[in-house]
Amino acid sequence: MKIVLSVLTAVVLMVHAGAQSHYPGQHEGKFIVKDKLIPAVYSFDLQDVKLLDSRFKQNMEREQQWLLSIGANNLLHSFRTNAGVYSGNEGGYSGKKIAGWESLDCELRGHTTGHILSGLALMYASTGDERFKTKADSIVKGLAVVQQALNQDGYLGAFPQELINRNIAGQPVWAPWYTLHKILSGLIDQYLYCDNRQALDIASKMGAWAYKKLRPVTAEQRSQMLRNEFGGVNESFYNLYAITGNADYKWLGEFFYQNETLDPLKEGKDILEKKHANTYIPKLTGLSRDYEIEGKGGGDSIAAFFWNTVIDHHSFVTGSNSDKEHFFKPDDQSGHLTGYTGESCNVYNMLKLTRHLYEHTASMKYTDYYEKALFNHILGQQDPATGMVAYFLPMLPGAHKVYSTPDSSFWCCVGSGFENQAKYGEAIYYHNAADLFVNLFIPSELSWKEKAIKLKQETNFPADGSIKFTVEATKPAGMILNIRYPSWSVAGATVKVNGKKVSVKNMPGTYIVLNRNWKNGDIVEVNFPMTLHLVATNDNINKAAILYGPIVLAGEMGTTGFIAPQPYSNPQLHNDYYTYDYHVPAGIPTSLLISGAKLSDAIKPVAGGKLAFKTVKEGIQLRPLYDIHRERYVVYWDIK
Ligand SMILES: [Zn+2]
């Protein structure tokens, strides 16, 4: 989301990010309206997947500290001020609202509180740690008091309702429904993951208020107001409908169908150029959710067309998209290697959409993308030194990740980041009645309650391609174990069950299927050899990134020319991430001499270095982009 001007004169600007959603198979008992769609595969609940030690778990632990360190009273401050409720001074409360975008006098106030409610819900589900629930409970209680005090038929916000009225009247406002979406979504997550009934009650009242507010809106007003960014509020209303059975909320979900942007997709037209990416993406997740509930409709094919268009024509090798938040001309990646590529909220939302589409089809292209974007973008979004997160993933040669600060940012991507780092367990495993699907190679332990089976996954991936699974079962159980044979594993695969080699007849891009009666202590070992390869931009075959398996390698370029507070955002400037001066020094190498040589001759592993390589001619060190922090890098090279 872009902040460039005085908020008082704010033109219609676009915000982002999405809601946390229900997925088929999760929280079954909490939905009155059951999904009519029978998906190909179901998610596991986050509670069923525990992360074992890895970089993912370490990211999650840093995130936990950050989540717990922000005071509940500070998160409630703007809401209370808006309602004229005394903020109190208990518990060392500083009496301050939180900073950065949250301190601006505009309708973004409160977005962080919504994301944090989702983040705490996901973290509680992922860990079972009561501290996350206790903290969330106190925020929800505070919001209930505010909603009551506002006494406006259920309206709840940290900004005056007048801004919603202005939005409906077609007057310039920013993105009020975007922020309300984060709050609604956070409350729904509190109900789904933490069983907080008060949160559902607040959300239902917000829904009743919204229905009353929007029911009289004319078609013309509606089309005007939907031009503002509204996040995934349609998805939240569909979820609220499925949870409560109240058809008013379904009407609200449909109200937020924007014909202008969605109808052309129905006709297979790529009209994405110049469109604000993160305004667009969550609209499709809402459509997918509607399709799941109804079991019919065009939502799924529109979403799938959109997804394919973004992935095939508008994305970088990292799975990120956009330049300065906007989609560019199809296939024009090489013209957009700037310091402002790949907004993190976009990836967060693409991954949400990907999960929906994968569950409908079990198609491998979705899992390939999920892995690519998770490892190359989300995992590296967080600075391991501080736990702060980056807004963009710059493709400008010699640029670096720019991290938020604890007390001056609270950008949209900080908000979606609270969720990203809390739900690494969500897409590792899927299942249907008889099959278990292993899609991601992340150290973890799955508990499949219906089968009374546990599966432990141990791996150093992506340092190498070996993965070991151990079955824990109180009595032998039938299960078809499907292990993803990734598309990048072109050098084959080896599989052993209890030490015995199993012949693999499949091709990469399918599942390796092991159908057995599994007993306690059974061990499956797989190995997917990883190889170096180039991935060129769509528009220039000689402009390419280097990958090892699915992992994007980047050239390490040091910190020459850094001027404090580089690589962090400037606390004096809210929009520093958007006009950041990278001070890229002259002479950053951007070409590699590879032509004629085999890649494995031109790039050699560094002895003893985990996932470190060196180019033979230029002597440039290459490491995973996710692991390059607080230093300059190059991703795309001119290949000579
Ligand atoms: Zn963002």
Side-chain angles (χ1 to χ4, degrees), residues 296-368:
K296 59 182 179 4
D300 206 43
S301 52
I302 299 173
F305 172 76
F306 174 85
W307 189 94
N308 280 299
T309 304
V310 172
I311 302 306
D312 295 342
H313 302 289
H314 296 272
S315 294
F316 296 101
V317 67
T318 50
S320 341
N321 59 62
S322 76
D323 181 10
K324 280 219 163 183
E325 305 189 2
H326 291 74
F327 287 123
F328 42 74
K329 200 170 89 190
D331 304 312
D332 192 23
Q333 287 96 341
S334 77
H336 291 273
L337 302 179
T338 75
Y340 312 99
T341 47
E343 182 184 347
S344 295
C345 288
N346 299 7
V347 180
Y348 158 90
N349 272 315
M350 282 302 289
L351 289 177
K352 284 185 80 165
L353 181 59
T354 301
R355 290 193 65 211
H356 282 270
L357 295 172
Y358 172 70
E359 288 180 7
H360 304 171
T361 59
S363 167
M364 191 63 95
K365 63 184 177 178
Y366 296 120
T367 61
D368 283 345

Side-chain angles (χ1 to χ4, degrees), residues 1 16 343 345 391 412-413:
M1 171 156 63
H16 342 126
E343 182 184 347
C345 288
Y391 195 108
C412 53
C413 296

Side-chain angles (χ1 to χ4, degrees), residues 153-289:
D153 305 330
Y155 173 70
L156 172 63
F159 54 81
Q161 193 182 163
E162 173 56 22
L163 292 170
I164 299 283
N165 298 340
R166 282 172 55 184
N167 182 213
I168 293 170
Q171 294 162 8
V173 284
W174 198 331
W177 287 98
Y178 170 90
T179 304
L180 292 189
H181 163 238
K182 308 307 166 214
I183 299 162
L184 201 50
S185 176
L187 291 164
I188 292 172
D189 285 343
Q190 280 300 317
Y191 173 65
L192 293 178
Y193 293 98
C194 307
D195 199 32
N196 188 324
R197 309 290 164 117
Q198 188 175 31
L200 177 62
D201 182 56
I202 302 171
S204 303
K205 286 177 181 157
M206 282 177 82
W209 162 81
Y211 183 75
K212 205 168 158 199
K213 191 90 190 160
L214 297 177
R215 198 74 178 103
V217 163
T218 67
E220 220 170 295
Q221 284 173 319
R222 171 175 166 268
S223 120
Q224 181 67 35
M225 70 172 272
L226 294 190
R227 289 185 185 148
N228 286 49
E229 186 169 4
F230 54 79
V233 77
N234 54 344
E235 184 202 8
S236 284
F237 284 130
Y238 284 126
N239 275 330
L240 204 52
Y241 160 60
I243 290 168
T244 62
N246 183 338
D248 292 353
Y249 306 141
K250 181 170 166 5
W251 181 90
L252 284 164
E254 285 158 4
F255 178 94
F256 283 92
Y257 178 97
Q258 193 194 20
N259 298 75
E260 253 171 57
T261 48
L262 298 174
D263 286 350
L265 300 175
K266 229 188 268 183
E267 294 157 26
K269 286 186 192 150
D270 177 357
I271 56 147
L272 303 189
E273 185 182 356
K274 297 197 173 116
K275 299 285 194 312
H276 187 261
N278 204 46
T279 296
Y280 223 127
I281 305 166
K283 297 183 210 289
L284 282 304
T285 308
L287 283 194
S288 276
R289 188 67 197 110

Side-chain angles (χ1 to χ4, degrees), residues 353-550:
L353 181 59
T354 301
R355 290 193 65 211
H356 282 270
L357 295 172
Y358 172 70
E359 288 180 7
H360 304 171
T361 59
S363 167
M364 191 63 95
K365 63 184 177 178
Y366 296 120
T367 61
D368 283 345
Y369 172 73
Y370 201 101
E371 177 182 65
K372 178 200 285 193
L374 191 75
F375 279 82
N376 295 308
H377 191 118
I378 301 294
L379 183 61
Q381 188 203 359
Q382 188 200 67
D383 171 25
T386 60
M388 296 295 104
V389 293
Y391 195 108
F392 293 118
L393 181 57
M395 290 294 138
L396 174 74
H400 55 84
K401 296 168 189 172
V402 177
Y403 311 103
S404 57
T405 60
D407 52 6
S408 62
S409 304
F410 290 107
W411 310 317
C412 53
C413 296
V414 172
S416 52
F418 283 120
E419 300 181 39
N420 285 333
Q421 315 291 331
K423 56 177 185 149
Y424 284 123
E426 74 172 9
I428 305 174
Y429 306 98
Y430 289 85
H431 71 97
N432 55 31
D435 296 70
L436 176 65
F437 298 84
V438 180
N439 281 355
L440 297 174
F441 307 124
I442 295 178
S444 53
E445 201 164 52
L446 166 74
S447 178
W448 191 0
K449 294 189 187 98
E450 289 83 357
K451 294 263 175 197
I453 278 185
K454 280 190 177 173
L455 190 75
K456 185 178 187 186
Q457 178 183 169
E458 295 167 285
T459 179
N460 291 320
F461 182 82
D464 63 57
S466 297
I467 305 113
K468 180 182 166 191
F469 299 96
T470 308
V471 174
E472 201 182 297
T474 42
K475 55 177 196 241
M479 170 180 81
I480 306 167
L481 179 60
N482 298 266
I483 301 170
R484 175 169 157 258
Y485 185 173
S487 306
W488 49 260
S489 186
V490 291
T494 55
V495 180
K496 284 183 199 165
V497 176
N498 294 331
K500 261 197 182 157
K501 217 165 171 186
V502 176
S503 88
V504 178
K505 299 195 177 74
N506 304 51
M507 298 296 286
T510 59
Y511 283 101
I512 292 167
V513 181
L514 300 170
N515 188 358
R516 290 168 61 91
N517 208 25
W518 298 91
K519 57 182 194 320
N520 195 38
D522 280 347
I523 288 174
V524 178
E525 292 162 285
V526 294
N527 185 47
F528 301 114
M530 295 163 77
T531 50
L532 288 165
H533 57 113
L534 296 177
V535 175
T537 54
N538 293 7
D539 57 323
N540 183 352
I541 187 124
N542 295 316
K543 180 79 82 179
I546 302 162
L547 280 83
Y548 184 64

